[in-house]
């Protein structure tokens, strides 16, 4: 029988089992170190990305948010200013209307002093009184001699269409349907009165209670009442 040689004992490669095991362990440790290095690199890149994103948020998004808030505030201020200006304009208009209605009431009182019923009216264009009138139904023996009718007919004769479109008629009481129709045909811009027709009818009982606004609307007019 042939005895085993040294090469046969080492597997024929000249290395012992312990030497092969050492190589294999070294290779595995090397692979582990590579994996850890790759993980560390990936972690560094992620941190860099996160820092960049954070800087972008701080420098870009926050700045954009501040700009949007400033724009919204400016818009709010402008809107508030517009509302305030509109309120002031409306208040001024109401005050002027009240003054002219007071004048119409004074004309109604004058009408009574002249022996007529208490009705008065005036026409204003561009904040200037251009015509005044009072009731003359008794003194002229003319049932159509209402001040609103008289002034509407006068405006139709003496003013051009553009001037009439800027006119406001102020009356002590709401114009009757006859006068409302005349105002519509004259093309006056506005009508402002002191006492409503229904209120007057409750006092006297002889008023045709068709609202002036309804007459103009049914006629397809543009006059504001």
């Amino acid at each position: 029988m042939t005895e085993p040689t040294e090469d046969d004992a080492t597997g024929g490669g000249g290395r012992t089992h312990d030497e092969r095991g050492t190589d294999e362990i070294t290779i595995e440790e090397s692979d582990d170190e590579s994996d850890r290095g790759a993980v560390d690199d990936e972690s560094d890149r992620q941190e860099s990305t996160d820092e960049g994103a954070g800087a972008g948020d701080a420098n870009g998004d926050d700045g954009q948010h501040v700009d949007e808030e400033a724009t919204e505030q400016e818009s709010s201020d402008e809107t508030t200013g517009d509302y305030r200006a509109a309120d002031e304009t409306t208040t001024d208009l109401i005050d002027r209307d009240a003054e002219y209605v007071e004048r119409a009431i004074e004309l109604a009182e004058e009408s009574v002093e002249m022996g007529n019923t208490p009705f008065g009216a005036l026409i204003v264009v561009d904040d200037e009184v251009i015509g005044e009138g009072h009731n003359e139904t008794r003194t002229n023996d003319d049932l159509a001699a209402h001040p609103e009718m008289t002034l509407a007919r006068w405006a139709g004769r003496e003013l051009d269409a553009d001037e009439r479109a800027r006119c406001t008629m102020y009356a002590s009481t709401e114009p009757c349907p006859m006068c409302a129709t005349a105002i519509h045909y004259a093309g006056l811009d506005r009508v402002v009165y002191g006492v409503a027709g229904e209120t007057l009818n409750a006092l006297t009982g002889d008023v045709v209670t068709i609202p002036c606004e309804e007459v103009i609307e049914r006629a397809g007019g543009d006059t504001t009442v």
Side-chain angles (χ1 to χ4, degrees):
M1 177 180 294
T2 305
E3 295 182 359
T5 65
E6 184 177 355
D7 289 340
D8 293 335
T10 60
R15 292 189 300 175
T16 66
H17 174 74
D18 291 340
E19 288 175 342
R20 287 198 301 274
T22 300
D23 290 342
E24 290 174 357
I25 292 172
T26 302
I27 293 172
E28 290 175 357
E29 290 178 350
S30 177
D31 291 341
D32 291 342
E33 290 175 356
S34 298
D35 292 342
R36 284 195 299 271
V39 170
D40 291 341
D41 291 343
E42 182 64 25
S43 176
D44 292 341
R45 284 196 297 270
Q46 183 63 41
E47 290 177 358
S48 176
T49 301
D50 292 342
E51 290 175 357
D57 291 342
N59 297 329
D61 294 345
D62 288 349
Q64 181 179 359
H65 183 63
V66 171
D67 291 341
E68 290 175 352
E69 287 184 345
T71 301
E72 290 175 358
Q73 183 62 44
E74 291 176 359
S75 177
S76 176
D77 292 342
E78 291 175 358
T79 301
T80 302
D82 291 341
Y83 283 137
R84 186 179 299 112
D87 289 342
E88 291 175 354
T89 301
T90 301
T91 300
D92 292 343
L93 181 60
I94 291 173
D95 290 343
R96 288 198 301 272
D97 285 349
E99 292 177 3
Y100 290 131
V101 169
E102 286 293 330
R103 175 54 185 160
I105 293 173
E106 291 176 359
L107 291 169
E109 293 172 348
E110 293 176 9
S111 179
V112 173
E113 294 174 358
M114 298 173 63
N116 292 293
T117 50
F119 301 100
L122 61 147
I123 287 182
V124 175
V125 60
D126 299 335
D127 206 25
E128 178 183 356
V129 178
I130 61 173
E132 293 182 337
H134 48 71
N135 191 286
E136 297 177 328
T137 55
R138 293 180 179 175
T139 54
N140 287 356
D141 196 21
D142 183 355
L143 57 83
H146 296 189
E148 301 92 342
M149 169 67 80
T150 301
L151 288 172
R153 294 178 65 190
W154 174 84
R157 291 192 308 268
E158 302 297 330
L159 305 178
D160 60 36
D162 290 339
E163 290 175 312
R164 295 198 301 273
R166 302 198 309 274
C167 285
T168 298
M169 178 178 288
Y170 295 91
S172 57
T173 60
E174 182 176 6
C176 70
M178 176 185 68
C179 294
T181 302
I183 291 168
H184 162 63
Y185 283 135
L188 305 187
D189 180 40
R190 300 171 65 228
V191 174
V192 181
Y193 57 83
V195 179
E198 289 187 355
T199 301
L200 181 62
N201 185 62
L203 296 173
T204 65
D206 61 352
V207 176
V208 179
T209 57
I210 301 175
C212 176
E213 183 176 12
E214 180 180 340
V215 173
I216 292 175
E217 285 182 353
R218 291 176 64 178
D222 297 324
T223 302
T224 301
V225 181

